[in-house]
Amino acid sequence: MKKILIFSLSYYPNNVSGAEAAIREITDRIDDVEFHMVTLRYNSDLPRAEKIGNVLIHRIGLVSKNPSFENLGKMPLDLNKPLYQFLAPLKALSLHRRYKYNAAWAMMAHSTGVPVAIFKLFSPKIKYALTLQEGDPPKYIEKTMRPLWPLFTAAFKKATVVQVISKYLGDWAKSRDVKDQDIELIHNGANPKDLKPSSTEAELETLKQKFTKKDDEVYLVNTARLAYQKANDDIILALAMLPANIKFLLVGDGDQKPMLKELVKELKLEDRVIFTGQVDRTEVSKYRQISDIFVCPSRSEGLGNAFLSAMASRLPVVATQEGGLAEFISDETAWVVDKDSPEQIADAIKEILSNPDKVKIRAEQAHHMVAQEYNWDLVTKNMREKVFSKIL
């Protein structure tokens, strides 16, 4: 059986975002390729080696016992990301001597481009695919990678194929001198639990009771990292302009949490903003199902898995058209706002609540689009034919 070594900064069961979900959804659908992964461990309770789904995971790095999200950004665990750049290729070379990999797959240039470039230096016959899923603006990423610029540049140039999840990221690849014929545009998919909900009414009612949601209350929801790019601060500012029965369910964790909590306190919205903390991805769809409007006015976005999953859930969506969002966020599928515009967010929410017929039509159009174009079976088929076939 052919073997592919994956480089990913993080993976299940902790710290899962769109990139990690993409790996899981794709690899779980492929049973004739053996996948391995080098990733960070963080939590001392996690084994150094473990098989999850169709991926044999090899964990490295500094650890502590059950660290919180906040702890990941503090000493010594915050050293893991820079250490990964050099520990990962060393681990990969050791594993390669044992398992004899046929190819490699690097998830996101800013986090795994340097490790795969180093690995390639010592294993020149290995072909690899580079996947671009970055949500931060390319100029910001390039600025942060300046200290390792030659290796970062090599990550693009030495890749056999660069898979991008949006045309926006495809343009970035071209600006990094990747040839058109070496770029494959393959979108991510929506959470399958949103396309085909399996939650029972009793489960959803229990979740509503957890937050004491009343019949006359409207829940705005955002199921994304609490990061600057997700603009949760703009949603909170918009909430202050809306009636008291409208609340905001913030599903996730991130480094912006302290700032957002301070803003909530300043605006006296403590009883209207609910911070859930980190929620397992298998459970996130339930939070969308008990909510009424998905709101995420992103300042930058590679594609936007959370938006696709919200559309799959038939929720009305309020979003910007920043980055890769412009490819599927339009006046036919969502309510479009400018970035950094709390007033526009508030107006969009008022329009949604005043036009149930328009909401039904637009939400159905969005759901149909996602079901047809953004499902993981199609993504996996394209990855097999357009990416893995080129490196194996």
Side-chain angles (χ1 to χ4, degrees), residues 29-320:
R29 288 170 168 77
I30 298 176
D31 57 11
D32 59 350
V33 175
E34 185 176 320
F35 292 96
H36 289 223
M37 176 188 288
V38 178
T39 189
L40 288 170
R41 189 176 173 206
Y42 287 116
N43 187 351
S44 60
D45 283 351
L46 293 177
R48 288 184 174 87
E50 176 185 17
K51 190 168 185 182
I52 297 180
N54 195 28
V55 179
L56 180 57
I57 303 162
H58 306 274
R59 298 189 177 99
I60 59 175
L62 303 174
V63 297
S64 67
K65 188 173 179 62
N66 291 319
S68 66
F69 194 95
E70 289 80 6
N71 292 145
L72 301 185
K74 299 176 182 178
M75 288 286 286
L77 296 184
D78 64 340
L79 295 174
N80 267 321
K81 290 183 179 180
L83 284 174
Y84 182 85
Q85 306 302 301
F86 304 101
L87 293 180
L90 288 174
K91 182 66 173 179
L93 289 166
S94 172
L95 291 168
H96 184 42
R97 285 193 290 271
R98 178 181 176 185
Y99 292 102
K100 303 295 188 293
Y101 297 114
N102 302 99
W105 178 17
M107 178 55 71
M108 298 200 289
H110 80 280
S111 57
T112 68
V114 168
V116 81
I118 296 173
F119 178 66
K120 176 73 171 175
L121 280 174
F122 294 94
S123 305
K125 293 182 180 179
I126 292 284
K127 295 180 179 179
Y128 73 88
L130 174 64
T131 290
L132 301 184
Q133 291 225 23
E134 279 83 347
D136 289 323
K139 287 184 179 179
Y140 170 79
I141 294 170
E142 291 175 356
K143 182 180 179 181
T144 62
M145 296 306 297
R146 282 290 172 187
L148 298 170
W149 194 249
L151 289 168
F152 180 68
T153 298
F156 288 85
K157 291 188 175 180
K158 299 294 183 181
T160 302
V161 56
V162 177
Q163 179 239 334
V164 299
I165 60 170
S166 64
K167 294 176 183 175
Y168 168 72
L169 289 172
D171 289 339
W172 183 35
K174 292 175 187 176
S175 76
R176 305 295 314 138
D177 296 325
V178 180
K179 297 176 182 177
D180 283 356
Q181 63 265 29
D182 294 331
I183 299 173
E184 293 292 348
L185 171 60
I186 303 173
H187 298 120
N188 278 347
N191 190 324
K193 289 183 176 288
D194 290 295
L195 279 171
K196 296 180 179 179
S198 57
S199 305
T200 65
E201 286 297 326
E203 288 174 329
L204 297 181
E205 187 58 38
T206 298
L207 191 57
K208 287 180 183 179
Q209 290 176 6
K210 177 181 178 180
F211 302 118
T212 62
K213 185 182 182 185
K214 300 174 183 175
D215 291 341
D216 66 338
E217 289 181 340
V218 174
Y219 270 27
L220 314 178
V221 66
N222 192 2
T223 53
R225 290 178 298 113
L226 306 190
Y228 173 78
Q229 72 187 73
K230 302 301 181 181
N232 286 299
D233 51 327
D234 285 340
I235 305 172
I236 292 168
L237 290 170
L239 189 67
M241 308 175 198
L242 294 165
N245 69 314
I246 300 177
K247 295 187 174 182
F248 179 27
L249 191 62
L250 254 172
V251 183
D253 211 335
D255 57 14
Q256 290 269 298
K257 188 173 183 178
M259 181 277 290
L260 294 172
K261 284 198 166 186
E262 187 60 34
L263 179 61
V264 168
K265 184 178 179 181
E266 180 184 324
L267 296 174
K268 296 180 173 56
L269 296 173
E270 292 96 333
D271 60 339
R272 294 177 60 193
V273 179
I274 303 165
F275 291 87
T276 69
Q278 193 67 36
V279 173
D280 190 284
R281 186 173 182 268
T282 60
E283 298 292 311
V284 171
S285 62
K286 294 178 184 177
Y287 289 75
R288 285 188 279 264
Q289 290 173 55
I290 68 162
S291 299
D292 304 284
I293 304 170
F294 179 85
V295 187
C296 187
S298 289
R299 296 179 172 110
S300 66
E301 203 74 55
L303 178 68
N305 289 27
F307 301 82
L308 296 171
S309 296
M311 289 176 167
S313 296
R314 292 184 170 86
L315 280 177
V317 171
V318 178
T320 65

Side-chain angles (χ1 to χ4, degrees), residues 311-356:
M311 289 176 167
S313 296
R314 292 184 170 86
L315 280 177
V317 171
V318 178
T320 65
Q321 292 180 313
E322 295 298 310
L325 291 174
E327 293 173 34
F328 64 94
I329 294 292
S330 70
D331 290 333
E332 294 182 352
T333 58
W335 275 258
V336 180
V337 297
D338 296 330
K339 69 176 180 179
D340 300 319
S341 300
E343 295 84 0
Q344 290 185 23
I345 297 168
D347 288 344
I349 291 166
K350 290 173 184 176
E351 184 182 342
I352 288 169
L353 295 175
S354 301
N355 294 275

